[in-house]
Amino acid sequence: AKDLSAGDVIDEEDPYYIKQWFIGDRDEEKIDRITKVIIPEGVKTIESYAFANLTSLTEVVLPSTLEKIGVGAFYGCTALKTVNFDNVKFINEKAFYGCENLTNPKFTSIVSIGNYSFQDCTLIDTVTLPETAQSIGIGAFSGCSGIRNLEFKAGLVKIGSRAFQNCTKLTGLPDLKINASVISSYAFDGCESL
């Protein structure tokens, strides 16, 4: 650590003081051309806001080694349609917030979906949670007005407050079965078709 009172100088190479940039925070002319991202095998984590605001991005191919998607990693990627979530275990807060063209994420290994992770992803119509699922965060699927079907294969899931708020097409018919250890207040608020 630098001790400024002792005369240490902060230079532009000091990583502690360098602004962290994400790809979508750079030259708009260049980022508008990125339509597909392929993450190589061996990568285990996508860090916070790594691909946020790539508004032309339509497809993301994740490696079988990926376990964690960081906070806001794909926040605001409004054109994003497909992402393979095959081995992803943890999706952090706002990871896909506002990805309005994202369709039906297929979770096979998910453990936790963070707060507001898929908020306002209006084209999702089915959410299936595998046996590994343990928690769905606050507002995780809030505003996903296209969701019609929920399937919980997990033994017990903690469902956060407003997790499915305003999922107006979500129905309980013919047999919506939720195995939950906790269903927080307003988890299904505004789900007028239930």
Side-chain angles (χ1 to χ4, degrees), residues 4-175:
L4 301 179
S5 63
D8 286 348
V9 177
I10 299 173
D11 58 36
E12 59 191 60
E13 299 297 322
D14 191 335
Y16 184 76
Y17 295 97
I18 294 175
K19 180 183 183 327
Q20 299 298 311
W21 295 89
F22 50 89
I23 294 170
D25 198 19
R26 296 291 184 156
D27 184 354
E28 286 184 36
E29 200 173 296
K30 290 180 183 173
I31 63 166
D32 263 356
R33 292 182 265 170
I34 298 174
T35 59
K36 183 175 182 179
V37 171
I38 301 171
I39 309 294
E41 285 296 323
V43 173
K44 292 184 178 184
T45 302
I46 296 175
E47 295 296 338
S48 299
Y49 298 99
F51 300 99
N53 296 321
L54 291 179
T55 55
S56 295
L57 183 64
T58 59
E59 182 181 5
V60 175
V61 179
L62 302 176
S64 63
T65 54
L66 192 77
E67 295 181 354
K68 177 183 165 193
I69 297 175
V71 174
F74 296 94
Y75 179 99
C77 293
T78 54
L80 186 59
K81 293 179 183 176
T82 58
V83 179
N84 61 311
F85 292 97
D86 295 341
N87 294 306
V88 176
K89 293 179 182 173
F90 304 98
I91 297 174
N92 281 303
E93 187 172 330
K94 297 183 180 180
F96 294 91
Y97 183 102
C99 295
E100 58 197 38
N101 286 296
L102 187 65
T103 57
N104 301 336
K106 291 178 180 44
F107 306 115
T108 59
S109 302
I110 199 72
V111 172
S112 176
I113 298 173
N115 299 344
Y116 313 105
S117 290
F118 293 92
Q119 183 173 341
D120 296 331
C121 295
T122 55
L123 292 185
I124 295 174
D125 71 8
T126 300
V127 175
T128 302
L129 296 172
E131 296 82 8
T132 56
Q134 294 178 15
S135 69
I136 302 170
I138 297 168
F141 293 94
S142 176
C144 295
S145 56
I147 293 179
R148 294 177 184 274
N149 305 302
L150 283 181
E151 185 177 352
F152 290 79
K153 294 180 180 179
L156 292 175
V157 177
K158 178 184 177 282
I159 301 173
S161 179
R162 303 184 191 283
F164 295 96
Q165 182 180 32
N166 295 326
C167 294
T168 54
K169 295 179 183 170
L170 180 61
T171 64
L173 302 173
D175 55 350

